[in-house]
Amino acid sequence: MTDPDIGELAAAIVEAHSGRFGSGWELLPAPPAQSDAPVYRAALQACSALGFIPIDAEVLARAWQRRSERTGRFDPAAWPDAPQDFGLRDPATLRTDGFPACPQSLGLYAVLPDAAWVGRMARAGVPTVQLRFKSDDAEAVKREVEAAIAAVAGTGAQLFINDHWRTAIAAGAWGVHLGQEDLDALTPTELAVLRASGVRLGVSTHGYAEMLRADAVAPSYVALGAVFPTTLKRMPTAPQGVGRLAAYARLLSHYPLVAIGGIDLPRFSEIKATGVGSIAVVRALVAADDPEAAAAQLQAALAS
Protein backbone atom coordinates (compact mmCIF):
# COMPACT_ATOMS: atom_id res chain seq x y z
CA MET A 1 0.00 0.00 0.00
CA THR A 2 1.40 3.41 -0.93
CA ASP A 3 1.56 6.47 1.30
CA PRO A 4 -1.33 8.22 -0.51
CA ASP A 5 -3.50 5.17 0.28
CA ILE A 6 -2.55 5.44 3.96
CA GLY A 7 -3.47 9.11 3.85
CA GLU A 8 -6.85 8.24 2.39
CA LEU A 9 -7.49 5.67 5.12
CA ALA A 10 -6.53 8.20 7.77
CA ALA A 11 -8.79 10.82 6.23
CA ALA A 12 -11.68 8.35 6.24
CA ILE A 13 -11.22 7.73 9.98
CA VAL A 14 -11.03 11.45 10.73
CA GLU A 15 -14.11 12.20 8.62
CA ALA A 16 -16.12 9.48 10.37
CA HIS A 17 -15.22 10.53 13.92
CA SER A 18 -14.32 14.23 14.05
CA GLY A 19 -17.88 15.15 15.02
CA ARG A 20 -17.92 12.65 17.88
CA PHE A 21 -14.72 13.89 19.47
CA GLY A 22 -15.40 17.57 18.98
CA SER A 23 -13.28 20.35 17.61
CA GLY A 24 -10.79 22.80 18.98
CA TRP A 25 -8.20 20.25 20.08
CA GLU A 26 -4.52 21.11 19.81
CA LEU A 27 -3.37 19.01 16.89
CA LEU A 28 -0.27 17.06 17.88
CA PRO A 29 2.33 15.34 15.68
CA ALA A 30 1.92 11.61 15.34
CA PRO A 31 4.38 9.55 17.39
CA PRO A 32 6.97 7.58 15.40
CA ALA A 33 5.39 4.60 13.68
CA GLN A 34 6.27 1.30 15.33
CA SER A 35 5.03 -0.79 12.42
CA ASP A 36 4.70 -0.64 8.64
CA ALA A 37 1.19 -2.15 8.74
CA PRO A 38 -1.05 0.16 6.68
CA VAL A 39 -4.02 0.18 9.05
CA TYR A 40 -1.72 0.89 11.99
CA ARG A 41 -0.04 3.79 10.18
CA ALA A 42 -3.35 5.23 9.02
CA ALA A 43 -4.91 4.98 12.47
CA LEU A 44 -1.84 6.54 14.09
CA GLN A 45 -2.07 9.50 11.74
CA ALA A 46 -5.84 9.81 12.16
CA CYS A 47 -5.88 9.57 15.95
CA SER A 48 -3.15 12.19 16.19
CA ALA A 49 -5.18 14.47 13.91
CA LEU A 50 -8.21 13.90 16.16
CA GLY A 51 -6.23 15.32 19.07
CA PHE A 52 -5.26 12.20 21.01
CA ILE A 53 -1.95 12.58 22.83
CA PRO A 54 0.88 10.51 21.31
CA ILE A 55 0.74 7.63 23.81
CA ASP A 56 -3.03 7.26 23.35
CA ALA A 57 -2.72 7.52 19.56
CA GLU A 58 -0.22 4.65 19.71
CA VAL A 59 -2.58 2.51 21.80
CA LEU A 60 -5.44 3.21 19.40
CA ALA A 61 -3.35 2.48 16.32
CA ARG A 62 -2.44 -0.93 17.70
CA ALA A 63 -6.09 -1.61 18.47
CA TRP A 64 -7.16 -0.68 14.94
CA GLN A 65 -4.49 -3.01 13.55
CA ARG A 66 -5.43 -5.92 15.84
CA ARG A 67 -9.08 -5.57 14.93
CA SER A 68 -8.34 -5.50 11.20
CA GLU A 69 -6.29 -8.68 11.60
CA ARG A 70 -8.98 -10.34 13.74
CA THR A 71 -11.90 -9.47 11.47
CA GLY A 72 -10.14 -9.37 8.11
CA ARG A 73 -11.59 -5.97 7.24
CA PHE A 74 -11.09 -2.24 7.75
CA ASP A 75 -14.13 -0.16 8.68
CA PRO A 76 -13.24 3.50 9.24
CA ALA A 77 -16.67 4.24 10.76
CA ALA A 78 -16.37 1.66 13.56
CA TRP A 79 -14.32 3.00 16.47
CA PRO A 80 -12.45 0.13 18.22
CA ASP A 81 -14.06 -0.88 21.51
CA ALA A 82 -13.37 -4.61 21.95
CA PRO A 83 -11.21 -5.37 25.01
CA GLN A 84 -9.18 -8.02 23.17
CA ASP A 85 -8.07 -5.50 20.54
CA PHE A 86 -6.51 -3.36 23.27
CA GLY A 87 -4.87 -6.29 25.06
CA LEU A 88 -7.14 -5.91 28.10
CA ARG A 89 -7.59 -8.84 30.43
CA ASP A 90 -10.48 -11.23 29.72
CA PRO A 91 -13.59 -9.71 31.34
CA ALA A 92 -14.79 -13.21 32.26
CA THR A 93 -11.79 -13.72 34.55
CA LEU A 94 -11.50 -10.16 35.85
CA ARG A 95 -12.04 -11.00 39.51
CA THR A 96 -9.90 -14.13 39.72
CA ASP A 97 -6.70 -12.21 40.44
CA GLY A 98 -7.96 -8.66 40.87
CA PHE A 99 -9.33 -6.49 43.62
CA PRO A 100 -12.70 -7.26 45.25
CA ALA A 101 -15.80 -6.33 43.30
CA CYS A 102 -17.93 -3.33 44.09
CA PRO A 103 -21.40 -2.52 42.71
CA GLN A 104 -21.54 -2.05 38.95
CA SER A 105 -23.38 1.20 39.62
CA LEU A 106 -21.87 3.30 42.40
CA GLY A 107 -24.49 6.00 41.97
CA LEU A 108 -23.76 9.56 43.00
CA TYR A 109 -20.12 9.71 44.09
CA ALA A 110 -19.21 12.62 46.35
CA VAL A 111 -15.53 13.61 46.58
CA LEU A 112 -15.15 15.47 49.85
CA PRO A 113 -12.39 17.42 51.66
CA ASP A 114 -12.73 16.14 55.22
CA ALA A 115 -14.49 13.72 57.54
CA ALA A 116 -17.18 16.23 58.52
CA TRP A 117 -18.24 16.52 54.89
CA VAL A 118 -18.08 12.73 54.48
CA GLY A 119 -20.46 12.25 57.38
CA ARG A 120 -22.78 15.02 56.22
CA MET A 121 -23.19 13.61 52.72
CA ALA A 122 -23.43 10.02 53.94
CA ARG A 123 -26.30 11.04 56.22
CA ALA A 124 -27.88 12.85 53.26
CA GLY A 125 -28.10 9.50 51.49
CA VAL A 126 -25.21 9.78 49.02
CA PRO A 127 -24.31 6.13 48.31
CA THR A 128 -20.58 6.55 47.57
CA VAL A 129 -18.26 9.03 49.25
CA GLN A 130 -14.53 9.66 49.01
CA LEU A 131 -12.31 11.35 51.55
CA ARG A 132 -9.80 13.48 49.65
CA PHE A 133 -7.89 14.92 52.59
CA LYS A 134 -4.67 16.68 51.62
CA SER A 135 -2.02 16.84 54.34
CA ASP A 136 1.58 15.84 54.98
CA ASP A 137 0.85 15.43 58.69
CA ALA A 138 0.59 11.67 59.27
CA GLU A 139 -1.25 12.08 62.56
CA ALA A 140 -3.77 14.46 61.02
CA VAL A 141 -4.33 12.01 58.15
CA LYS A 142 -4.85 9.15 60.61
CA ARG A 143 -7.39 11.13 62.61
CA GLU A 144 -9.29 12.20 59.51
CA VAL A 145 -9.40 8.71 57.99
CA GLU A 146 -10.60 7.16 61.24
CA ALA A 147 -13.18 9.93 61.67
CA ALA A 148 -14.46 9.41 58.13
CA ILE A 149 -14.86 5.66 58.68
CA ALA A 150 -16.76 6.34 61.89
CA ALA A 151 -18.90 8.96 60.15
CA VAL A 152 -20.30 6.54 57.57
CA ALA A 153 -21.08 3.78 60.08
CA GLY A 154 -24.75 2.90 59.91
CA THR A 155 -25.47 5.09 56.87
CA GLY A 156 -25.05 2.50 54.12
CA ALA A 157 -22.56 4.73 52.28
CA GLN A 158 -19.48 3.16 50.74
CA LEU A 159 -16.32 5.08 51.65
CA PHE A 160 -13.13 5.32 49.60
CA ILE A 161 -9.98 6.94 50.96
CA ASN A 162 -7.96 8.91 48.43
CA ASP A 163 -4.18 8.31 48.35
CA HIS A 164 -3.50 7.33 52.00
CA TRP A 165 -3.77 3.59 51.39
CA ARG A 166 -1.58 2.37 54.25
CA THR A 167 -3.55 4.43 56.76
CA ALA A 168 -6.80 3.32 55.16
CA ILE A 169 -5.90 -0.36 55.49
CA ALA A 170 -4.83 0.06 59.11
CA ALA A 171 -8.12 1.80 59.90
CA GLY A 172 -10.23 -0.87 58.19
CA ALA A 173 -11.45 1.23 55.27
CA TRP A 174 -13.85 -0.28 52.73
CA GLY A 175 -12.02 1.12 49.72
CA VAL A 176 -9.06 3.14 48.47
CA HIS A 177 -8.74 5.39 45.43
CA LEU A 178 -5.39 6.00 43.72
CA GLY A 179 -4.29 8.30 40.93
CA GLN A 180 -1.99 7.14 38.16
CA GLU A 181 1.16 8.51 39.79
CA ASP A 182 0.31 6.75 43.05
CA LEU A 183 -0.42 3.52 41.21
CA ASP A 184 2.81 3.71 39.22
CA ALA A 185 4.78 4.39 42.42
CA LEU A 186 3.67 1.13 44.06
CA THR A 187 6.32 -1.56 44.21
CA PRO A 188 5.21 -5.14 43.43
CA THR A 189 5.39 -5.88 47.17
CA GLU A 190 3.23 -2.86 48.03
CA LEU A 191 0.70 -3.81 45.37
CA ALA A 192 0.55 -7.33 46.81
CA VAL A 193 -0.01 -5.89 50.31
CA LEU A 194 -2.79 -3.66 48.99
CA ARG A 195 -4.48 -6.56 47.19
CA ALA A 196 -4.13 -8.92 50.16
CA SER A 197 -5.79 -6.38 52.47
CA GLY A 198 -9.18 -6.96 50.84
CA VAL A 199 -9.93 -3.29 50.21
CA ARG A 200 -11.70 -2.23 47.03
CA LEU A 201 -9.51 -0.19 44.69
CA GLY A 202 -10.55 2.62 42.39
CA VAL A 203 -8.10 4.08 39.86
CA SER A 204 -8.15 7.41 38.02
CA THR A 205 -7.56 7.41 34.26
CA HIS A 206 -7.22 10.18 31.67
CA GLY A 207 -7.09 8.29 28.39
CA TYR A 208 -6.43 4.96 26.71
CA ALA A 209 -2.86 4.33 27.90
CA GLU A 210 -3.83 4.95 31.51
CA MET A 211 -6.83 2.65 31.15
CA LEU A 212 -4.44 -0.12 30.11
CA ARG A 213 -2.28 0.58 33.17
CA ALA A 214 -5.32 0.44 35.43
CA ASP A 215 -6.58 -2.79 33.84
CA ALA A 216 -3.22 -4.43 34.54
CA VAL A 217 -4.04 -4.43 38.28
CA ALA A 218 -7.75 -5.32 37.83
CA PRO A 219 -9.17 -2.59 40.09
CA SER A 220 -12.65 -2.61 41.58
CA TYR A 221 -13.69 0.39 39.50
CA VAL A 222 -12.22 2.83 36.99
CA ALA A 223 -12.67 6.60 37.08
CA LEU A 224 -12.74 8.41 33.72
CA GLY A 225 -11.94 12.09 33.43
CA ALA A 226 -11.68 14.91 33.54
CA VAL A 227 -14.74 15.07 31.32
CA PHE A 228 -15.05 18.86 31.45
CA PRO A 229 -12.67 21.64 32.56
CA THR A 230 -12.14 21.78 36.31
CA THR A 231 -10.36 24.31 38.49
CA LEU A 232 -10.03 21.98 41.47
CA LYS A 233 -6.75 20.38 40.44
CA ARG A 234 -4.18 20.55 37.67
CA MET A 235 -5.06 17.89 35.11
CA PRO A 236 -2.43 15.99 33.09
CA THR A 237 -4.53 16.05 29.92
CA ALA A 238 -7.09 18.26 28.21
CA PRO A 239 -10.75 17.66 29.13
CA GLN A 240 -11.86 14.41 27.54
CA GLY A 241 -15.35 15.44 26.47
CA VAL A 242 -18.53 13.39 26.25
CA GLY A 243 -17.59 11.76 22.95
CA ARG A 244 -14.42 10.24 24.35
CA LEU A 245 -16.21 9.29 27.56
CA ALA A 246 -18.74 7.28 25.57
CA ALA A 247 -15.93 5.46 23.71
CA TYR A 248 -14.16 4.71 26.99
CA ALA A 249 -17.40 3.45 28.55
CA ARG A 250 -17.97 0.98 25.70
CA LEU A 251 -14.43 -0.37 25.97
CA LEU A 252 -14.54 -0.74 29.77
CA SER A 253 -18.20 -1.73 30.16
CA HIS A 254 -17.14 -4.78 32.21
CA TYR A 255 -15.88 -2.45 34.96
CA PRO A 256 -17.90 -0.21 37.25
CA LEU A 257 -17.19 3.24 35.82
CA VAL A 258 -17.16 6.69 37.40
CA ALA A 259 -17.23 9.86 35.31
CA ILE A 260 -15.53 12.82 36.97
CA GLY A 261 -14.45 16.36 36.24
CA GLY A 262 -16.51 19.54 35.97
CA ILE A 263 -19.86 17.74 35.96
CA ASP A 264 -22.87 19.65 37.26
CA LEU A 265 -26.62 18.99 37.25
CA PRO A 266 -27.38 20.28 33.71
CA ARG A 267 -24.82 17.83 32.30
CA PHE A 268 -26.07 14.71 34.09
CA SER A 269 -28.32 13.50 31.27
CA GLU A 270 -25.59 13.53 28.61
CA ILE A 271 -23.14 11.84 30.97
CA LYS A 272 -25.68 9.14 31.86
CA ALA A 273 -26.26 8.50 28.14
CA THR A 274 -22.63 7.36 27.73
CA GLY A 275 -23.30 4.27 29.84
CA VAL A 276 -21.24 5.06 32.94
CA GLY A 277 -22.84 3.83 36.15
CA SER A 278 -21.67 6.61 38.44
CA ILE A 279 -21.04 10.35 38.35
CA ALA A 280 -18.59 12.00 40.73
CA VAL A 281 -19.08 15.56 41.91
CA VAL A 282 -17.15 17.93 44.12
CA ARG A 283 -18.20 21.57 43.81
CA ALA A 284 -21.79 20.64 42.93
CA LEU A 285 -22.08 19.64 46.60
CA VAL A 286 -19.46 21.48 48.65
CA ALA A 287 -20.16 24.84 46.95
CA ALA A 288 -23.96 24.47 47.05
CA ASP A 289 -26.05 26.78 49.21
CA ASP A 290 -27.94 23.72 50.49
CA PRO A 291 -25.72 20.63 50.03
CA GLU A 292 -28.39 18.20 51.28
CA ALA A 293 -30.93 19.53 48.79
CA ALA A 294 -28.30 19.48 46.05
CA ALA A 295 -27.49 15.83 46.86
CA ALA A 296 -31.16 14.89 46.60
CA GLN A 297 -31.50 16.73 43.30
CA LEU A 298 -28.39 15.14 41.81
CA GLN A 299 -29.47 11.65 42.90
CA ALA A 300 -32.90 12.15 41.38
CA ALA A 301 -31.30 13.22 38.10
CA LEU A 302 -29.04 10.19 38.11
CA ALA A 303 -31.94 7.83 38.83
CA SER A 304 -34.38 9.32 36.32
Side-chain angles (χ1 to χ4, degrees), residues 36 76 78 97 101 117 120 132 136 158 207 210 218 258 281 283 286:
D36 290 331
D97 62 347
W117 269 106
R120 185 175 180 179
R132 184 190 280 173
D136 294 326
Q158 297 157 341
E210 292 190 358
V258 180
V281 295
R283 289 176 40 156
V286 299

Side-chain angles (χ1 to χ4, degrees), residues 182-275:
D182 302 301
L183 183 65
D184 290 344
L186 291 177
T187 66
T189 298
E190 289 173 329
L191 181 60
V193 169
L194 187 57
R195 182 176 283 116
S197 72
V199 298
R200 283 81 180 166
L201 175 67
V203 176
S204 295
T205 65
H206 310 89
Y208 282 103
E210 292 190 358
M211 285 186 270
L212 266 60
R213 291 193 201 115
D215 177 73
V217 302
S220 305
Y221 76 82
V222 177
L224 308 169
V227 182
F228 301 112
T230 176
T231 59
L232 292 174
K233 60 187 295 189
R234 181 178 178 85
M235 302 307 298
T237 57
Q240 301 297 297
V242 176
R244 293 193 188 200
L245 178 64
Y248 301 159
R250 287 193 301 274
L251 175 62
L252 297 178
S253 62
H254 50 292
Y255 278 104
L257 299 174
V258 180
I260 188 170
I263 304 172
D264 54 13
L265 181 60
R267 288 166 159 162
F268 263 44
S269 60
E270 61 180 327
I271 298 298
K272 281 178 54 184
T274 66

Side-chain angles (χ1 to χ4, degrees), residues 48-269:
S48 300
L50 287 168
F52 288 92
I53 61 175
I55 192 170
D56 285 345
E58 170 67 25
V59 169
L60 281 164
R62 292 184 180 278
W64 278 92
Q65 180 61 33
R66 289 191 189 104
R67 187 181 64 182
S68 70
E69 294 170 353
R70 177 172 59 84
T71 65
R73 60 191 295 266
F74 169 73
D75 181 358
W79 194 258
D81 56 16
Q84 66 265 40
D85 294 332
F86 287 82
L88 297 178
R89 58 178 63 237
D90 183 353
T93 62
L94 183 61
R95 296 273 72 90
T96 58
D97 62 347
F99 283 82
C102 61
Q104 188 70 17
S105 176
L106 290 165
L108 184 65
Y109 190 132
V111 181
L112 304 162
D114 56 41
W117 269 106
V118 166
R120 185 175 180 179
M121 291 296 96
R123 291 189 297 273
V126 176
T128 308
V129 290
Q130 180 190 127
L131 174 67
R132 184 190 280 173
F133 181 69
K134 299 298 183 181
S135 176
D136 294 326
D137 184 335
E139 283 302 314
V141 169
K142 180 176 182 292
R143 287 194 301 269
E144 209 68 25
V145 168
E146 291 175 349
I149 292 172
V152 302
T155 66
Q158 297 157 341
L159 171 65
F160 288 88
I161 306 298
N162 184 277
D163 290 348
H164 308 294
W165 63 271
R166 294 180 183 85
T167 306
I169 291 173
W174 193 81
V176 169
H177 182 92
L178 296 179
Q180 285 284 318
E181 291 182 358
D182 302 301
L183 183 65
D184 290 344
L186 291 177
T187 66
T189 298
E190 289 173 329
L191 181 60
V193 169
L194 187 57
R195 182 176 283 116
S197 72
V199 298
R200 283 81 180 166
L201 175 67
V203 176
S204 295
T205 65
H206 310 89
Y208 282 103
E210 292 190 358
M211 285 186 270
L212 266 60
R213 291 193 201 115
D215 177 73
V217 302
S220 305
Y221 76 82
V222 177
L224 308 169
V227 182
F228 301 112
T230 176
T231 59
L232 292 174
K233 60 187 295 189
R234 181 178 178 85
M235 302 307 298
T237 57
Q240 301 297 297
V242 176
R244 293 193 188 200
L245 178 64
Y248 301 159
R250 287 193 301 274
L251 175 62
L252 297 178
S253 62
H254 50 292
Y255 278 104
L257 299 174
V258 180
I260 188 170
I263 304 172
D264 54 13
L265 181 60
R267 288 166 159 162
F268 263 44
S269 60

